[in-house]
Amino acid sequence: GAVVSQHPSWVICKSGTSVKIECRSLDFQATTMFWYRQFPKQSLMLMATSNEGSKATYEQGVEKDKFLINHASLTLSTLTVTSAHPEDSSFYICSATTGDTQYFGPGTRLTVL
Amino acid sequence: GENVEQHPSTLSVQEGDSAVIKCTYSDSASNYFPWYKQELGKRPQLIIDIRSNVGEKKDQRIAVTLNKTAKHFSLHITETQPEDSAVYFCAARYTGTASKLTFGTGTRLQVTL
């Protein structure tokens, strides 16, 4: 099946710093990728839809200036959490679609101290 | 937009028994309904999906049923095993690679010996 990778798998950073997370589709091209955030024992909450070659579409309540998304190629999307704060600590998961099926990356656990 | 409700939030069954998880959706335009299994700290994995032109689909011990009129769909797991213990999410969307999935709130299934 299709494989989506994500890097890093975990990151610890100081408050106020920025963190970049990469999402790659390894064996297929994805014009659209999605970024989710998942807090403990909760469902996946869609943050934004990443479109190759154009601006991302953010869900209501998600700050586009804080969560910068770049989809520079058909296999790579990046999420940058700018000026991270402890409340941004969460599990960030990307996904990419081929056909009808959406495949998820392994997730990045972000801890902001 | 689409709204997906999922019940129950937790489910405990004995090994060998069946488990049923139910979801309802609000948007009659939705025509694709996947189910994902997520183990602790890992990515959601697609286990089965169904499209609106089909009423039922089965894959070994897992089956999904869809009632378009009532906007209900359900996951059935028979002969449960301890490795079935995980969180299960239903989702809905209309087909198209750029269409976003709307997830249910999840069901934590515990299979006891």
Side-chain angles (χ1 to χ4, degrees), chain A residues 4 31-32 34 36 38 41-44 46 49 59 91 93 97 99-106 109, chain B residues 32 36 38 41-46 49 51 89 93 95-101 103-106 108:
Chain A
V4 177
T31 55
T32 302
F34 302 91
Y36 295 84
Q38 186 177 36
K41 297 186 178 181
Q42 292 189 21
S43 187
L44 296 100
L46 181 65
T49 302
E59 295 299 299
F91 193 50
I93 312 177
T97 302
D100 277 337
T101 305
Q102 196 167 131
Y103 295 93
F104 285 86
R109 185 159 302 283
Chain B
Y32 175 67
Y36 287 86
Q38 187 180 28
K42 297 190 176 180
R43 78 181 84 194
Q45 297 270 19
L46 178 71
D49 57 13
R51 290 166 178 76
F89 293 99
R93 74 149 193 246
T95 54
T97 56
S99 296
K100 58 186 182 182
L101 281 172
F103 283 88
T105 49
R108 185 171 301 277

Side-chain angles (χ1 to χ4, degrees), chain B residues 3-4 7 10 13 16 23-24 32-33 44 56 58 61 64 73-74 78 88 93 101 103:
Chain B
N3 181 51
V4 178
H7 299 281
T10 59
V13 299
C23 290
T24 61
Y32 175 67
F33 308 92
E56 183 174 359
K58 189 173 181 180
R61 297 186 298 107
V64 58
F73 58 113
S74 300
T78 58
Y88 291 81
R93 74 149 193 246
L101 281 172
F103 283 88

